């Protein structure tokens, strides 16, 4: 594995929290989270995001994980405004 453990851990935490939010928003239905997981894996494979497949560059991996993080922060803010 060419990804540093910190980057891998960061990606796992961000994606796990995303699965939690999606499952919570779907009222316990795991199918939307499964579809999101599948589409994310497809995206990683089609666009060669993994450093093992793109010459060792971590930049695409960090960009994708940063986008995931921004998406979930926006989703959390949206849910907070809906509750108020």
């Amino acid at each position: 594995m060419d990804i540093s453990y910190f980057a891998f851990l960061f990606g796992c935490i961000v994606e796990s929290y995303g699965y939690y939010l999606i499952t919570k928003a779907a009222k316990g239905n795991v199918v939307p989270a499964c579809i999101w997981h599948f589409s994310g894996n497809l995206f990683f494979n089609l666009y060669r995001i993994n450093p093992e497949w793109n010459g060792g560059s971590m930049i695409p991996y960090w960009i994708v994980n940063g986008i995931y993080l921004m998406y979930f922060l926006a989703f959390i803010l949206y849910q907070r405004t809906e509750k108020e």
Side-chain angles (χ1 to χ4, degrees), residues 2 6 10 25 28-29 36 39 44-45 47 57:
D2 291 338
F6 175 74
F10 175 77
N29 188 355
W36 184 63
S39 64
F44 263 69
N45 287 313
Y47 294 106
S57 176

Side-chain angles (χ1 to χ4, degrees), residues 5 11 13 16 19 30 34 36 41 57 59 63 66 72 74-75 81:
Y5 288 114
I13 290 171
S16 296
Y19 298 140
V30 297
C34 292
W36 184 63
N41 284 342
S57 176
I59 294 171
I63 289 171
F72 294 129
F75 188 75
T81 57

Side-chain angles (χ1 to χ4, degrees), residues 10-11 27-28 35 41 48 52 62 64 69 80:
F10 175 77
K27 298 177 182 163
I35 292 170
N41 284 342
R48 321 280 282 155
E52 292 180 20
W62 282 114
V64 169
L69 181 62
R80 284 187 182 174

Side-chain angles (χ1 to χ4, degrees), residues 2-79:
D2 291 338
I3 302 171
S4 71
Y5 288 114
F6 175 74
F8 182 72
L9 180 65
F10 175 77
C12 287
I13 290 171
V14 170
E15 289 186 36
S16 296
Y17 190 66
Y19 298 140
Y20 165 74
L21 290 176
I22 291 170
T23 304
K24 185 178 172 184
K27 298 177 182 163
N29 188 355
V30 297
V31 173
C34 292
I35 292 170
W36 184 63
H37 181 75
F38 166 76
S39 64
N41 284 342
L42 182 65
F43 176 78
F44 263 69
N45 287 313
L46 287 177
Y47 294 106
R48 321 280 282 155
I49 301 297
N50 193 333
E52 292 180 20
W53 304 327
N54 68 11
S57 176
M58 287 293 295
I59 294 171
Y61 189 82
W62 282 114
I63 289 171
V64 169
N65 282 322
I67 290 169
Y68 282 164
L69 181 62
M70 293 300 152
Y71 172 75
F72 294 129
L73 291 175
F75 188 75
I76 291 169
L77 291 174
Y78 172 75
Q79 281 191 330

